Amino acid sequence: MFRVHTVLYDGVEPQDFIGPLGPLQVADGVELKYVCVDGPKTVPTAAGFEIAVRQPWSPDDADLVLVPGGGYGPESPVDREVRRGVIAQALAAARRPGLVLGAVCTGTLLLGDIVVGRPCTSFELAKDDLKARGASVIDSRVVDDGDLVTAGGVTSGLDLGLWLVERFFGVETALLAQQVLAYERRGPVWLGGRDSAQLVG
């Protein structure tokens, strides 16, 4: 079982978390859960609907933790959560060998010190902010740095999901997901480690 936990918070952008989950649910043996670092609650989204999160915060039970964005700029949901710092602290405490952290759009800003010195990407207007936080910003829709995988603006969450399916379940399953979603991944994925990098298409 491949366990995916998606972190929700007040004002989260639905397309940021629905995008990656679409491809992932095509693969066999994937368990999807919504979680909040504050525990079970009802989460109001940016689109006006609410999601009842019933699962406890349990990153030890996850193989992949996804962090979606929630707007950008002063008083945005992401800005509020950055200042609160609770998500970043919870994710830092959750890190362990075998756990992959993923973020979509401005969700990368919620990773706190995890991005320092790491290749990653975010929403176009947030890249300077991300760079100021010590990240090595890469101009790619998806950036895979091993245990940290990030995606750019909103629709790139689909590309992130397709890449994660290819990485963990193989090319054939990723192609199947593309057929099911009637969507083809856009552009190459930046793939590398600390000393080398390559683009895979």
Side-chain angles (χ1 to χ4, degrees):
M1 184 65 67
F2 187 76
R3 303 158 300 173
V4 181
H5 291 192
T6 300
V7 181
L8 300 186
Y9 51 91
D10 291 1
V12 66
E13 171 56 53
Q15 195 168 359
D16 281 6
F17 63 83
I18 292 170
L21 298 184
L24 284 164
Q25 68 184 2
V26 173
D28 291 331
V30 175
E31 177 186 76
L32 304 176
K33 291 183 178 180
Y34 293 131
V35 295
C36 298
V37 296
D38 299 315
K41 60 177 284 188
T42 298
V43 178
T45 70
F49 62 84
E50 298 181 335
I51 296 180
V53 176
R54 300 183 177 89
Q55 305 295 330
W57 172 248
S58 55
D60 288 346
D61 297 328
D63 300 296
L64 170 67
V65 174
L66 291 172
V67 185
Y72 181 64
E75 306 307 318
S76 66
V78 156
D79 179 60
R80 181 184 62 243
E81 291 299 331
V82 166
R83 287 186 281 106
R84 200 165 75 101
V86 176
I87 292 177
Q89 292 171 9
L91 292 172
R95 296 182 75 188
R96 57 177 166 77
L99 177 65
V100 176
L101 296 179
V104 179
C105 198
T106 55
T108 310
L109 299 176
L110 297 177
L111 302 181
D113 291 342
I114 292 170
V115 302
V116 175
R118 300 292 300 271
C120 56
T121 192
S122 185
F123 173 54
E124 192 65 32
L125 296 180
K127 286 181 177 178
D128 287 344
D129 193 353
L130 189 60
K131 191 177 297 183
R133 295 166 190 266
S136 176
V137 177
I138 305 294
D139 187 20
S140 182
R141 283 177 69 83
V142 176
V143 174
D144 186 330
D145 191 40
D147 63 353
L148 177 62
V149 188
T150 55
V154 181
T155 59
S156 63
L158 280 163
D159 301 273
L160 174 64
L162 287 167
W163 169 247
L164 291 169
V165 170
E166 180 174 333
R167 173 176 162 177
F168 292 107
F169 299 95
V171 173
E172 292 302 318
T173 306
L175 291 173
L176 173 62
Q178 288 190 165
Q179 287 183 318
V180 170
L181 297 169
Y183 177 85
E184 294 183 3
R185 198 171 76 211
R186 293 174 52 193
V189 173
W190 187 95
L191 175 64
R194 298 300 180 122
D195 302 315
S196 63
Q198 60 180 317
L199 295 177
V200 297

